[in-house]
Amino acid sequence: MDKISIRKRMLKPLLTYLIFFAACFLVIFNLIYKALLNVNNYSYRLILNINMFLLAIFTLFILGFTFLLIKICSGISKDIKMLADDAIKLSKSSYSTEEIKTFKTIEIEELNLSIHKLAKRLFDYYNAQKIAMENASHELRTPLTSIQGYAEGIKYKVFDDINEPLDIIIDASIHLRDVVKSILKLSEMDSHSVKVMYKKVSLYGSLNRILNQLRGAAFKNNKAIKLEGDEDLIIYIDEKLLSQAVINIVSNGLRYAKEKVTVEFEETPENVVIHIMDDGYGIKEEDIENIFTRFYKGEKGNLGLGLSIAKSSIKYLDGEITAYNLGYGACFDIKLPNKIINPIIEE
């Protein structure tokens, strides 16, 4: 179906009608003019009949023009009414994304496609939230069940030595705290209530401070964290958001690394790219596609929320994260814009 704009949809038939009517009027006027050339005396009745005839033609023109305009507007109104019905269905969650209507008017078709895309995104978001809620319920239920079971065991003196069940209760409580903390962090990010505060920092110095928070845990597990890059590179960044992303990705890498996690960064004309690499066995192919999905756990996964938090944090910085396998392990690339337009700078 050929698409036309609303302007063309209205003007094309109207102009065609005007040209046709003007041509007919000229033909009639020419016939009247030639007939009048053969008349010697113009009577009052003749002049009156000519005027009445011209008035009838003009009235016919107005009626035809009005009818055509109403028909065109009715067609456009019908299309808009269909879109309005779709919007009402969308508000009641009864809109179907399986079938999509088509319209011959460009502007209405673009609005129709926008509504369809919005509906699809809303349904995808709803399904994602539903799945996330189910997963969150599972993550909360497991430690709560463990805490309840061991607490009842201690109360009714089921255990001879209560140190082990107490340790399990403590571990379950920590796990529960971490899940709730991560869910609240993601909820805060989803609500777009995080205020991004940029400040001028040395990227090397900033990353070094962030990685120092993890070096103790890495050393405890006989692993190392290395940082490589230009120590003089200065950027504008929100260190809190960068820290959330780097800590979650490096912590994830430490679980899979054999000996070390390496953090490198480089500058390009348009971006600053941070590479976070481990020397483990890499990411399974079936996990790569879902690795940033909330509550998705690969092998040795913890909460399934850390990488989701990392992705949301970098998104706030107008950046992006990608994950892929190297020949010797996995690599996460954080790509940040090199030029910040009108940043909110923290003094």
Side-chain angles (χ1 to χ4, degrees), residues 96-154:
S96 175
T97 57
E98 296 179 359
E99 297 181 3
I100 181 169
K101 300 180 180 70
T102 57
F103 298 90
K104 63 181 180 181
T105 306
I106 294 174
E107 292 85 351
I108 295 178
E109 177 68 4
E110 288 177 351
L111 180 58
N112 174 53
L113 292 175
S114 296
I115 291 175
H116 186 77
K117 289 178 182 177
L118 174 62
K120 195 172 185 308
R121 289 185 63 183
L122 286 174
F123 289 147
D124 289 344
Y125 178 77
Y126 170 77
N127 290 330
Q129 290 295 97
K130 184 179 179 180
I131 293 172
M133 185 60 68
E134 292 173 354
N135 290 331
S137 299
H138 174 75
E139 286 293 330
L140 294 173
R141 190 186 304 116
T142 302
L144 284 173
T145 302
S146 179
I147 291 171
Q148 180 183 356
Y150 282 99
E152 290 176 349
I154 294 172

